Amino acid sequence: MKIICNPKSLANKIGITQKAINSKTTLDVLKGIFLSTQENQLKLTGYDLEIGIETFVQAEIVEEGEIVVNSRLFGDIIRKLPDSFVEIETDSENNVYINCVNSRFKIKGDSAKEYPRLPDVQEENLYTIPQDILKNMIKQTVFAISQDQSKHVLMGELLEIENNNISLVAIDGYRLAVKSCELNNIEKSIKVIIPGKALNDINSLLSSEDDVKLGFDDKNAIFIINETRVITRLLEGEFIDYQKLLPREYNTKIKLNTKSLQNSIERASLLSESEKNNLIKLSIRDNAMAITSNTEKGNVYEEVNLELEGDYLDVAFNSRYFIEGLKNIDSEEIFIEFTTNINPCIIKPVDGTKYTYLLLPVRMSSNI
Amino acid sequence: MKIICNPKSLANKIGITQKAINSKTTLDVLKGIFLSTQENQLKLTGYDLEIGIETFVQAEIVEEGEIVVNSRLFGDIIRKLPDSFVEIETDSENNVYINCVNSRFKIKGDSAKEYPRLPDVQEENLYTIPQDILKNMIKQTVFAISQDQSKHVLMGELLEIENNNISLVAIDGYRLAVKSCELNNIEKSIKVIIPGKALNDINSLLSSEDDVKLGFDDKNAIFIINETRVITRLLEGEFIDYQKLLPREYNTKIKLNTKSLQNSIERASLLSESEKNNLIKLSIRDNAMAITSNTEKGNVYEEVNLELEGDYLDVAFNSRYFIEGLKNIDSEEIFIEFTTNINPCIIKPVDGTKYTYLLLPVRMSSNI
């Protein structure tokens, strides 16, 4: 193989490919980037056997071929080269020669024959959604994915396409986040579970208002973002029927400013003893809610204005889960609907965007 | 004590004071900020028994007094308050009440009686130097301070004032950095050793072209930066007579572009096996120098243009020490002077600024 290309463009594409490379893998060949020539482009592939990323850089192909190079070392070298032209050449012993202006590197590559092939996912009848919309959908839900290895399917998000609607759903046992958007020209309904890691990788590649194309087969999903393809294995199993978890009624409904509430809860949680268990108590009355916390460090009282519909309520929450939900709501104001102080409440933006954040309260002992 | 002030200004001053607070200390009272009223200001003090920082914030003093508050908790609370007015009040049991708009905190403070007093350093006949100049002096030398606890005095920098000149000197056994600047109106020569930690703290406080004022007694130094006083214990002992280490002659002198050399050495060190021992070999000839490195990962050849005066030379260095020196030179071009390949070389800016970086080569075995 012998190719010539611009180091800056190549470094950019190496960065993309590296998202799919697990540098801690015990399989040496998977620490590599698979380089192969394809017409007037160099194709770069990274793969950890779960997620694969393929992308392309414009190149002059002097001699066709393929090679695997250590992703870390190759990336470090290319990133440090001057903004000129780099020539990459291999020999029959898988040595890789990298020449650029006054720099000449020789590093060891691996035979491309050992590199595993990515699954083939059909690329017909793809769904189409603008990048910025998908990015926002991921951002507003992905933080609620379970980190608990024993809850296998909950380490991914349900992606549902039906009735001109696309939804992403994440649940971790304490809260649930659902974000939906309209999607036109749907020919077929879909219900799959995308791993959280893949969603984070995809999120980091979404950067414009151009379209993303989505495709699925029984085992895999493909996301095509500009000249980059992300192929991920789907999680197998049955996702929780989340619709059943959403309360249909409420006894207490409040409307309040999102940012004021977030700031007050953040302050109220400063006295908590541990990062994981920040208990705050809300006392909802006419026109205002008191937020209190009482720990060995001291106590705090915060007051937030609101509009109340329904009953007074005293209820306690883990402040961290509350804040994570509020942070991801763009609407200036929110509604919060409660049934009782032991049932989940629902947080919704007032601006009408389709987002629901469900949150379980903490049972109060009498002395908090 | 009862005072009213602006939370943003207070938060800023808490941040300054916290630089002198070691949150891992076993003495609880030293985790605190000592607050005391002084005319129409609130004085904040942080102290770890080595370095003390005192600063002031404008405040309305409703009732005089003093208290010690946990620096971390107090800082977190004040930083999260809205940009309005905060009222801070204490009671006879050292409770601290923090009220701001709709937020009310009550936290436990400590009696100010337990807080150690900072040493008194005389503030007459102070030396004066612009902040940006002192900042640059620290930046160009502080990285060469020894990290080796057994080399006590080398964990600080020699500060020398004499002959209308101020110098900072750092040595760690492998390299030496000296930066000097002119200083007028000197009445008395000074030779003291300032701990590295204090220099880093001072560096982070220097931000303008205003003057810093410096004062010394037998045991302590004081740096007055705007309304902030940094008082540090001096290191005791004799500093190495660094002047004797600087070679007076050379057999090989080269002139080359600082940035090109830095880039080439950075690339050449990418193949090194470990962060700590990046061996590179320089081969100095007419008009050009080859930089090579040869490891299990592969090999690299870099070429840098230069102007040579004197003999050809082959010499090896630890690239990390070389790069750290080059990074801190602003001059577009540098001179490097060598005697032999086992004696230290000297790197100097061509632009005439008074900076010297001395670097020990690595002895070459024949097979590198």
Side-chain angles (χ1 to χ4, degrees):
Chain A
M1 186 183 89
K2 182 171 177 178
I3 67 111
I4 298 164
C5 70
N6 173 263
K8 286 266 172 300
S9 313
L10 179 56
N12 176 22
K13 296 310 171 76
I14 292 171
I16 290 174
T17 317
Q18 282 176 329
K19 293 180 199 297
I21 296 172
N22 174 3
S23 58
K24 289 176 189 153
T25 174
T26 49
L27 254 179
D28 251 5
V29 74
L30 291 183
K31 289 180 187 163
I33 295 182
F34 172 40
L35 303 177
S36 54
T37 55
Q38 193 165 310
E39 289 167 23
N40 58 346
Q41 296 190 306
L42 180 69
K43 180 173 163 186
L44 295 87
T45 305
Y47 188 33
D48 69 359
L49 303 179
E50 302 278 337
I51 300 164
I53 297 182
E54 292 176 345
T55 191
F56 295 87
V57 66
Q58 288 295 324
E60 183 192 334
I61 310 298
V62 182
E63 193 191 320
E64 295 190 345
E66 49 185 37
I67 189 83
V68 178
V69 284
N70 181 281
S71 121
R72 180 98 159 260
L73 181 59
F74 185 63
D76 285 349
I77 292 171
I78 301 298
R79 265 188 285 274
K80 287 275 185 193
L81 294 177
D83 191 7
S84 171
F85 289 97
V86 57
E87 186 189 273
I88 301 171
E89 191 174 358
T90 59
D91 66 16
S92 58
E93 288 167 333
N94 296 321
N95 290 307
V96 182
Y97 302 86
I98 302 167
N99 296 327
C100 179
V101 196
N102 292 326
S103 303
R104 303 207 292 269
F105 284 85
K106 177 187 172 188
I107 59 174
K108 278 239 147 286
D110 283 308
S111 163
K113 292 194 186 96
E114 295 168 34
Y115 198 83
R117 302 297 134 153
L118 271 62
D120 253 331
V121 185
Q122 63 83 21
E123 296 185 15
E124 285 161 27
N125 303 322
L126 296 174
Y127 302 88
T128 299
I129 180 171
Q131 292 193 25
D132 53 344
I133 290 181
L134 180 60
K135 191 176 179 74
N136 200 37
M137 289 181 70
I138 295 174
K139 175 180 150 265
Q140 289 192 294
T141 52
V142 77
F143 64 92
I145 286 181
S146 174
Q147 304 303 320
D148 183 347
Q149 303 272 353
S150 70
K151 295 180 179 168
H152 188 59
V153 294
L154 298 189
M155 294 185 74
E157 289 201 57
L158 178 69
L159 186 152
E160 233 180 2
I161 300 178
E162 61 176 358
N163 305 332
N164 288 340
N165 214 64
I166 176 169
S167 302
L168 273 178
V169 187
I171 305 181
D172 73 358
Y174 305 101
R175 67 268 178 80
L176 178 163
V178 191
K179 174 69 184 176
S180 304
C181 289
E182 275 187 29
L183 195 66
N184 296 321
N185 306 319
I186 296 176
E187 295 193 359
K188 210 182 121 189
S189 294
I190 282 286
K191 210 169 184 172
V192 295
I193 307 170
I194 315 271
K197 163 80 168 72
L199 288 167
N200 283 317
D201 288 345
I202 291 160
N203 188 32
S204 69
L205 295 174
L206 300 170
S207 60
S208 73
E209 294 176 8
D210 295 345
D211 279 338
V212 193
K213 294 199 173 75
L214 284 69
F216 307 92
D217 65 19
D218 288 353
K219 303 220 157 179
N220 300 287
I222 185 167
F223 291 75
I224 304 176
I225 304 160
N226 308 325
E227 66 285 346
T228 301
R229 287 172 158 65
V230 181
I231 293 160
T232 173
R233 222 154 64 183
L234 299 172
L235 294 183
E236 286 177 30
E238 196 70 32
F239 205 80
I240 292 170
D241 183 359
Y242 73 94
Q243 294 280 4
K244 279 195 184 155
L245 300 177
L246 302 174
R248 303 287 158 196
E249 293 172 347
Y250 58 85
N251 297 316
T252 302
K253 180 175 182 174
I254 57 178
K255 179 179 168 184
L256 65 181
N257 181 281
T258 317
K259 202 69 197 160
S260 300
L261 178 61
Q262 185 189 329
N263 289 340
S264 282
I265 296 179
E266 282 178 353
R267 282 193 294 268
S269 62
L270 290 174
L271 296 178
S272 67
E273 300 293 314
S274 79
E275 283 267 315
K276 292 215 167 166
N277 198 7
N278 303 346
L279 196 70
I280 52 163
K281 186 179 150 189
L282 314 184
S283 298
I284 298 167
R285 300 291 181 266
D286 290 321
N287 305 320
M289 168 164 81
I291 303 170
T292 52
S293 172
N294 193 348
T295 75
E296 277 187 15
K297 290 186 187 170
N299 60 56
V300 51
Y301 174 96
E302 290 274 339
E303 206 173 275
V304 185
N305 296 331
L306 56 75
E307 289 173 32
L308 170 66
E309 179 192 333
D311 304 339
Y312 290 176
L313 186 73
D314 291 338
V315 56
F317 289 97
N318 179 321
S319 64
R320 186 166 70 91
Y321 294 148
F322 217 124
I323 292 166
E324 286 184 353
L326 295 177
K327 264 187 188 168
N328 286 294
I329 294 176
D330 300 322
S331 172
E332 198 183 324
E333 291 184 300
I334 48 167
F335 290 119
I336 311 182
E337 297 172 2
F338 304 85
T339 46
T340 74
N341 64 6
I342 54 169
N343 289 105
C345 75
I346 279 187
I347 305 177
K348 286 180 192 173
V350 167
D351 67 8
T353 48
K354 291 183 186 172
Y355 181 64
T356 303
Y357 188 65
L358 175 143
L359 184 60
L360 266 181
V362 177
R363 269 172 204 263
M364 287 191 288
S365 59
S366 56
N367 61 349
I368 84 161
Chain B
M1 185 183 90
K2 183 171 178 177
I3 67 111
I4 298 165
C5 70
N6 173 263
K8 286 267 172 297
S9 312
L10 179 57
N12 176 23
K13 297 310 171 78
I14 292 171
I16 290 173
T17 317
Q18 282 176 329
K19 293 181 200 297
I21 296 173
N22 174 3
S23 58
K24 287 175 189 155
T25 175
T26 49
L27 254 180
D28 252 5
V29 74
L30 291 183
K31 290 180 187 162
I33 294 181
F34 172 40
L35 303 177
S36 53
T37 55
Q38 193 164 311
E39 288 168 24
N40 58 344
Q41 294 190 307
L42 180 70
K43 179 173 164 188
L44 295 86
T45 306
Y47 188 33
D48 69 359
L49 303 180
E50 302 279 337
I51 300 164
I53 297 182
E54 293 177 344
T55 190
F56 294 86
V57 65
Q58 289 294 327
E60 184 192 334
I61 310 298
V62 182
E63 193 191 321
E64 295 189 348
E66 47 185 38
I67 188 83
V68 178
V69 283
N70 181 282
S71 123
R72 179 98 161 261
L73 181 59
F74 185 61
D76 286 349
I77 291 171
I78 300 297
R79 265 188 284 276
K80 287 276 184 192
L81 293 178
D83 191 7
S84 172
F85 289 97
V86 57
E87 186 189 273
I88 301 171
E89 191 174 359
T90 59
D91 66 17
S92 57
E93 288 168 334
N94 296 321
N95 290 308
V96 182
Y97 301 85
I98 303 166
N99 297 327
C100 178
V101 195
N102 291 325
S103 302
R104 305 207 291 268
F105 284 84
K106 177 187 172 189
I107 59 175
K108 277 239 146 288
D110 283 309
S111 163
K113 292 194 188 96
E114 296 167 35
Y115 197 83
R117 302 296 135 156
L118 271 62
D120 253 330
V121 186
Q122 63 82 18
E123 295 184 16
E124 285 160 29
N125 303 322
L126 296 175
Y127 302 88
T128 298
I129 181 171
Q131 292 193 24
D132 53 343
I133 290 180
L134 181 60
K135 191 176 177 74
N136 200 39
M137 290 181 69
I138 296 173
K139 173 178 153 270
Q140 289 193 294
T141 52
V142 76
F143 64 93
I145 285 181
S146 175
Q147 304 303 317
D148 183 347
Q149 303 271 355
S150 71
K151 296 179 177 166
H152 188 59
V153 295
L154 298 189
M155 293 185 73
E157 289 201 58
L158 178 69
L159 186 151
E160 232 179 3
I161 300 178
E162 59 177 359
N163 305 331
N164 287 341
N165 214 65
I166 176 168
S167 302
L168 273 178
V169 188
I171 305 181
D172 72 357
Y174 307 99
R175 66 275 181 71
L176 178 163
V178 191
K179 174 69 183 175
S180 303
C181 290
E182 274 186 31
L183 196 66
N184 296 320
N185 307 319
I186 296 177
E187 297 194 359
K188 209 182 123 192
S189 294
I190 282 287
K191 210 169 185 173
V192 295
I193 307 170
I194 314 272
K197 163 80 170 70
L199 288 167
N200 282 318
D201 288 346
I202 291 160
N203 189 32
S204 69
L205 295 175
L206 301 170
S207 60
S208 73
E209 295 175 9
D210 294 348
D211 279 338
V212 191
K213 294 199 173 78
L214 283 69
F216 306 92
D217 64 21
D218 288 353
K219 304 219 157 180
N220 300 288
I222 185 166
F223 291 76
I224 304 177
I225 304 161
N226 308 326
E227 67 284 347
T228 300
R229 285 172 158 65
V230 181
I231 293 159
T232 174
R233 222 156 61 188
L234 298 172
L235 294 183
E236 287 176 29
E238 196 70 32
F239 204 78
I240 293 170
D241 183 359
Y242 73 95
Q243 294 280 5
K244 280 196 184 157
L245 301 176
L246 301 174
R248 302 287 159 199
E249 293 171 349
Y250 59 85
N251 298 314
T252 301
K253 179 175 182 174
I254 59 177
K255 178 179 170 185
L256 65 181
N257 181 280
T258 318
K259 201 70 196 158
S260 299
L261 177 61
Q262 185 188 330
N263 290 340
S264 282
I265 296 180
E266 282 178 353
R267 282 193 294 269
S269 62
L270 290 175
L271 296 179
S272 67
E273 301 293 314
S274 78
E275 283 267 315
K276 292 217 166 162
N277 197 8
N278 303 344
L279 196 71
I280 52 163
K281 187 181 150 190
L282 314 185
S283 298
I284 299 167
R285 300 291 180 269
D286 289 322
N287 305 317
M289 168 163 78
I291 303 170
T292 53
S293 171
N294 193 348
T295 74
E296 278 188 16
K297 290 186 187 171
N299 59 59
V300 52
Y301 174 96
E302 291 275 338
E303 207 173 276
V304 185
N305 296 329
L306 56 74
E307 289 172 35
L308 170 67
E309 178 192 336
D311 304 339
Y312 290 175
L313 187 73
D314 289 337
V315 55
F317 288 97
N318 180 322
S319 65
R320 187 166 70 91
Y321 294 149
F322 217 124
I323 293 167
E324 285 183 354
L326 295 176
K327 264 188 189 166
N328 287 294
I329 294 176
D330 299 324
S331 171
E332 198 182 325
E333 291 184 299
I334 48 169
F335 291 119
I336 312 181
E337 298 171 1
F338 304 85
T339 47
T340 74
N341 64 7
I342 54 168
N343 288 105
C345 75
I346 279 188
I347 305 176
K348 286 181 192 172
V350 167
D351 67 7
T353 48
K354 292 184 186 170
Y355 181 65
T356 303
Y357 187 65
L358 175 144
L359 184 60
L360 265 183
V362 177
R363 269 172 202 262
M364 284 192 288
S365 59
S366 56
N367 63 348
I368 83 160

